[in-house]
């Protein structure tokens, strides 16, 4: 018996997260680039971020042919949320700043680095980072993405910094429900054994 999945959030219909997904406006445009190996991952949080933000887009691939055009969006300054020697910590927008086109690679470290390697226009972007020491509230994944945060958490934290005092916490609601479902599914005991105290 194959389970029917929601066409929008890709969760099993019985666990559809759509009622929890907000519809938030942001000055910042968020471009999520997802490695194909992440698409069917149960914790596809990039998709949750893309669905919950009106000014966001999710593209799946390894080599993004149209990337230069996507990055040249008038009125925005493109930058990559990824560590690097010259990466600048993000700051709130000043009154005359163009908003960012924030490019967020989604996937494990290894996959994200591969995306940079395969897409020189991505690797050439100026880089921004979140402040150090931000740790995920959730430890379900062994190899979390940039900054040890899930992708949706990284996006929320970036937007909170850039667009303070606006709040984007509502984006985490479907994610929290997803995590609770995952913990219930794997059993509290397994969760403790694998993830507690790491
Ligand atoms: Zn759904």
């Amino acid at each position: 018996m194959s389970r029917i999945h929601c066409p929008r959030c890709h969760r099993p219909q019985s666990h559809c997260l759509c009622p929890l997904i907000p519809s938030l406006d942001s000055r910042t445009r968020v471009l999520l680039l997802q490695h194909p190996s992440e698409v069917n991952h149960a914790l596809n949080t990039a998709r949750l971020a893309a669905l919950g933000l009106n000014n966001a887009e999710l593209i799946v691939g390894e080599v993004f042919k149209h990337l230069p055009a996507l990055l040249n969006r008038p009125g925005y300054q493109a930058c990559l949320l990824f560590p690097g020697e010259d990466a600048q910590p993000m700051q709130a927008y000043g009154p005359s700043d163009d908003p960012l086109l924030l490019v967020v690679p989604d996937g494990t470290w290894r996959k994200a680095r591969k995306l940079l390697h395969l897409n020189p226009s991505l690797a050439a972007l100026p880089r921004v980072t979140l402040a150090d020491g931000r740790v995920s509230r959730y430890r379900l994944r062994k190899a979390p993405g940039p900054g040890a945060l899930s992708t949706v958490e990284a996006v929320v934290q970036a937007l909170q910094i850039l667009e303070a005092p606006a709040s984007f916490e509502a984006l985490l609601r479907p994610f929290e429900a997803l995590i609770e479902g995952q913990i219930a599914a794997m059993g509290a005991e397994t969760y403790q054994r694998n993830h507690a105290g790491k």
Side-chain angles (χ1 to χ4, degrees), residues 6-11 13 15-19 21:
C6 169
R8 186 163 177 264
C9 70
H10 291 191
R11 299 295 300 157
Q13 204 100 67
H15 293 76
C16 168
L17 294 169
C18 291
I21 298 175

Side-chain angles (χ1 to χ4, degrees), residues 4 11 13 28 33 54 59 80 82 115 117 137 163 170 174:
I4 298 165
R11 299 295 300 157
Q13 204 100 67
T28 311
L33 300 178
N54 298 322
I59 303 178
L80 182 70
F82 204 75
L115 286 182
H117 182 69
R137 281 185 261 168
E163 308 199 20

